[in-house]
Amino acid sequence: MLGMSRTGLAGAALRVALTALLPLVLPAYYVYKLTTYLLGAVFPEDVAGKVVLITGASSGIGEHLAYEYAKRGAYLALVARREASLREVGDVALGLGSPGVLVLPADVSKPRDCEGFIDDTISYFGRLDHLVNNASIWQVCKFEEIQDVRHLRALMDINFWGHVYPTRLAIPHLQLVLHIHREEHLLQCQQGGGAQLLRHPEDGAGQRHPHHRGGARRGGV
C-alpha cells in the first residue's frame, strides 16, 4: 500500500508539473504554428523584386515575416512605432537578401499615419505588391473582469481599424499592380517575353542601408 501511495503521489506530482508547464509552452507553440501557416499561405509565389509592406514589423511575427520575404528577394517597407527596432530589423533584412528596405515609423491606429506610410511606399518604390497587416496587441481576460470597457478602445483601434485603414488605402495600388501584371503577361506571350512594364527606382534598388522616411516621427512605443 505504501508503494502504491508513493506511486500515486509521484503521478500526481508529474501531472501538476505538466499542467504548470503548459501555459509556458503553448504560447510559443501557437506562435510557431501561426507563423508556419502564414508563411505557407504567403510564399507559394515568387516574391523576388516585389514590394511588400509589413505593419508591426519591429518584433514577433512581423519581424520574422520580414526576414522570410528578405530571403526571397523582396523589397520591404517596414512599419511600426519603434523606430530603433525597425532599423535593426531592416539591417538584418538587407543582410538576408532584401535589395531595399524603407523604414516607416508610424501608428496604424492613426488614419493620417496610414496614409503617410502608404504614400511614402509608393513614392519610394513606385508600386505595392503585398500588404501584410500584422500590427496587433493582446489582452487576455474575462469580459466581466474589465472595470472600464473604454480600455478596449486601444485594442479596437489597432486590431481592427489598424487593419482597415491601410487596406482601404492600399487597394488601388494593389489593383493597379494586378492589372499591369495581366497586361505584362499578355505582352510576354505575344512578343516572346522580355517585356518589363514596371521598374524600381535606382536609389531604392541600390540601397544597402534601411532608408528612413524624411521628417518621420522619432521615438514612440
Side-chain angles (χ1 to χ4, degrees):
M1 293 293 293
L2 182 59
M4 292 180 61
S5 177
R6 288 178 177 175
T7 302
L9 288 174
L14 179 60
R15 287 193 295 271
V16 170
L18 290 175
T19 303
L21 286 174
L22 281 177
L24 300 176
V25 175
L26 284 179
Y29 171 75
Y30 285 130
V31 168
Y32 166 77
K33 293 294 289 184
L34 178 59
T35 303
T36 303
Y37 169 78
L38 289 174
L39 292 177
V42 167
F43 293 120
E45 64 175 297
D46 181 8
V47 297
K50 294 187 177 180
V51 177
V52 181
L53 189 155
I54 305 173
T55 67
S58 61
S59 62
I61 293 175
E63 175 187 357
H64 290 282
L65 283 173
Y67 296 156
E68 292 300 325
Y69 272 112
K71 292 175 185 177
R72 290 160 173 79
Y75 292 87
L76 298 175
L78 305 179
V79 177
R81 291 178 292 183
R82 296 177 294 175
E83 181 182 344
S85 298
L86 274 183
R87 287 181 173 275
E88 293 176 2
V89 173
D91 285 330
V92 174
L94 287 172
L96 290 173
S98 175
V101 175
L102 180 62
V103 171
L104 299 166
D107 185 342
V108 297
S109 68
K110 299 179 179 179
R112 184 168 295 181
D113 279 19
C114 295
E115 184 176 356
F117 65 68
I118 294 291
D119 288 346
D120 287 341
T121 299
I122 299 301
S123 296
Y124 188 70
F125 290 115
R127 64 189 283 177
L128 177 61
D129 297 279
H130 285 196
L131 170 65
V132 182
N133 285 313
N134 171 74
S136 63
I137 57 176
W138 292 76
Q139 182 172 345
V140 180
C141 65
K142 294 181 179 179
F143 187 74
E144 60 267 24
E145 294 175 353
I146 300 174
Q147 299 297 320
D148 188 348
V149 294
R150 289 176 296 179
H151 294 162
L152 298 176
R153 184 181 298 276
L155 186 145
M156 291 297 297
D157 284 344
I158 294 175
N159 293 5
F160 178 72
W161 291 111
H163 292 200
V164 171
Y165 296 143
T167 300
R168 181 65 186 88
L169 293 164
I171 282 175
H173 305 291
L174 297 171
Q175 289 177 329
L176 176 62
V177 168
L178 288 174
H179 177 70
I180 292 176
H181 282 336
R182 292 192 192 100
E183 290 186 350
E184 182 179 21
H185 177 69
L186 291 173
L187 187 61
Q188 288 176 344
C189 290
Q190 292 169 0
Q191 298 184 357
Q196 184 173 355
L197 302 184
L198 284 178
R199 295 182 181 273
H200 294 282
E202 292 300 323
D203 59 341
Q207 191 78 25
R208 297 314 302 163
H209 297 284
H211 182 78
H212 178 264
R213 176 177 62 190
R217 295 180 300 104
R218 294 186 175 274
V221 179

